[in-house]
């Protein structure tokens, strides 16, 4: 009986040791994965730093998605964060709160006289459509079909491309507002599909904001990018520029 008790005690001890060993292995695995994550973050930062020439020019066309300074502290707006990243003189903000597609031409015309923007180091981000959907299908201020709005959008994009053919152009999708009264999911999805396809066939870059601004905390004043939302937008802009730089560098290497 005593031997049996000792045997059971030994078995329990072995089981306990095995559990402790498994816990230790799990901790070591988590430490290993955490180190990989930190290493990847540092690598991404280094890569971005190496691929962010100081002569990059960033132009923001559109609405309050890019011009959210009246909804957040000035130093935490999208434009302020970009100027901190790229330099005050390298970021031109032409976007206006409440702007619709009919304002596209006016914003584009401000760029054209400055031929310094017509080069491969210029990135033009275009965000239009959200206010048109609100005006036409929510507030009923105007009565223009989605198809007609998109035809006007395409016409202005052709105008922009003809003015600065060498610049990198990035189209922005419309996010889904968390405020229910402003969320017309089917219409926004239809609009975004048009934007994505149009970008693809014209070889434009695409900023899929509808995939990144998803939480209520990403917004302020019902539908505007919050401080958190602005940081996400800037992060995605950085990512697009960085990825495009890498692609361009690889193309140059392959040509040589």
């Amino acid at each position: 009986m005593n031997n049996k008790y000792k045997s059971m005690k030994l078995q329990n001890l072995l089981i306990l040791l095995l559990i402790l060993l498994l816990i230790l292995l799990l901790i070591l695995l988590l430490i290993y994965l955490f180190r990989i994550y930190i290493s990847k973050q540092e690598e991404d930062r280094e890569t971005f730093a190496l691929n962010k020439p100081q002569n990059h020019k960033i132009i923001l066309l559109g609405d309050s998605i890019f011009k959210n300074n009246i909804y957040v502290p000035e130093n935490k707006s999208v434009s302020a964060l970009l100027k901190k990243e790229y330099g005050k003189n390298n970021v031109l903000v032409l976007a206006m709160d409440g702007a619709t597609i009919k304002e596209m031409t006016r914003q584009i015309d401000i760029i054209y006289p400055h031929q310094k923007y017509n080069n491969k180091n210029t990135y033009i981000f275009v965000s239009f459509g959200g206010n048109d959907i609100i005006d036409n299908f929510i507030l009923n201020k105007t009565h223009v079909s989605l198809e007609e709005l998109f035809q006007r959008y395409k016409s202005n994009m052709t105008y922009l491309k003809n003015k600065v053919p060498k610049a990198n152009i990035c189209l922005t999708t419309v996010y889904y507002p968390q405020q229910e009264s402003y969320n017309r999911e089917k219409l926004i999805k239809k609009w975004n599909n048009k934007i994505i396809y149009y970008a693809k066939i014209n070889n434009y870059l695409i900023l899929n904001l509808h995939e990144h601004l998803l939480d209520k905390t990403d917004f302020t004043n019902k539908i505007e990018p919050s401080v958190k939302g602005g940081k996400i937008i800037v992060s995605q802009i950085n990512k697009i520029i960085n990825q495009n730089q890498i692609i361009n560098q690889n193309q140059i290497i392959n040509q040589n």
Side-chain angles (χ1 to χ4, degrees):
M1 186 72 178
N2 192 35
N3 289 336
K4 186 176 180 180
Y5 173 76
K6 288 181 178 179
S7 177
M8 289 179 63
K9 189 174 181 180
L10 181 61
Q11 286 180 355
N12 290 336
L13 181 60
L14 289 173
I15 292 172
L16 179 61
L17 289 173
L18 181 60
I19 292 173
L20 291 173
L21 179 61
L22 289 173
I23 292 173
L24 178 61
L25 289 173
L26 180 60
I27 292 172
L28 291 174
L29 177 61
L30 290 173
I31 292 173
Y32 174 72
L33 292 174
F34 180 72
R35 285 180 175 176
I36 291 177
Y37 172 77
I38 294 299
S39 176
K40 182 66 169 59
Q41 293 294 309
E42 291 177 351
E43 182 181 320
D44 287 345
R45 282 195 293 269
E46 290 174 0
T47 301
F48 178 69
L50 290 172
N51 291 283
K52 190 182 72 172
Q54 292 303 310
N55 62 346
H56 273 341
K57 303 293 182 184
I58 298 176
I59 300 175
L60 303 180
L61 302 181
D63 48 35
S64 57
I65 287 180
F66 292 145
K67 184 72 171 178
N68 69 328
N69 58 312
I70 67 172
Y71 302 104
V72 298
E74 177 63 39
N75 64 339
K76 294 184 179 180
S77 66
V78 170
S79 59
L81 294 174
L82 283 172
K83 288 176 182 178
K84 185 177 180 181
E85 291 272 359
Y86 294 92
K88 183 178 180 180
N89 296 326
N90 292 330
V91 179
L92 177 62
V93 183
L94 300 176
M96 294 294 293
D97 183 27
T100 59
I101 291 170
K102 67 181 180 181
E103 274 90 43
M104 283 183 75
T105 304
R106 183 184 60 79
Q107 292 186 18
I108 293 168
D109 283 340
I110 297 174
I111 301 173
Y112 178 60
H114 306 281
Q115 282 301 301
K116 64 181 180 181
Y117 296 125
N118 186 27
N119 59 71
K120 64 181 181 179
N121 289 322
T122 296
Y123 285 82
I124 303 175
F125 291 85
V126 183
S127 171
F128 283 98
N131 288 318
D132 294 274
I133 291 175
I134 291 174
D135 287 351
N136 282 276
F137 305 104
I138 298 176
L139 302 179
N140 295 315
K141 289 182 179 179
T142 53
H143 303 281
V144 183
S145 69
L146 197 70
E147 190 58 43
E148 175 60 26
L149 286 173
F150 194 65
Q151 290 300 322
R152 296 178 185 179
Y153 178 92
K154 290 194 297 182
S155 176
N156 278 283
M157 286 307 306
T158 301
Y159 183 65
L160 172 62
K161 186 64 177 177
N162 289 337
K163 294 294 185 183
V164 281
K166 296 179 182 178
N168 301 284
I169 297 175
C170 180
L171 309 187
T172 303
T173 60
V174 176
Y175 49 66
Y176 299 105
Q178 296 299 303
Q179 182 74 17
E180 189 174 342
S181 59
Y182 283 95
N183 193 343
R184 294 294 186 270
E185 187 171 342
K186 289 183 179 180
L187 276 171
I188 295 174
K189 185 176 182 180
K190 191 173 181 180
W191 177 265
N192 286 343
N193 287 339
K194 289 178 178 293
I195 293 289
I196 293 168
Y197 180 72
Y198 184 72
K200 182 179 180 181
I201 63 175
N202 287 281
N203 200 31
Y204 292 139
L205 301 171
I206 186 74
L207 172 52
N208 289 313
L209 282 186
H210 68 288
E211 295 180 353
H212 299 286
L213 272 69
L214 302 170
D215 192 79
K216 285 186 177 181
T217 58
D218 297 336
F219 304 94
T220 185
N221 198 44
K222 299 180 181 179
I223 58 173
E224 311 298 344
S226 64
V227 171
K228 180 188 171 192
K231 289 180 179 178
I232 293 173
I233 292 171
V234 171
S235 174
Q236 291 304 311
I237 287 175
N238 288 341
K239 186 176 181 180
I240 287 170
I241 293 174
N242 187 35
Q243 289 177 339
N244 195 57
Q245 283 296 111
I246 293 173
I247 291 171
N248 290 340
Q249 288 175 359
N250 288 338
Q251 288 176 344
I252 293 172
I253 292 172
N254 292 334
Q255 288 174 357
N256 295 333

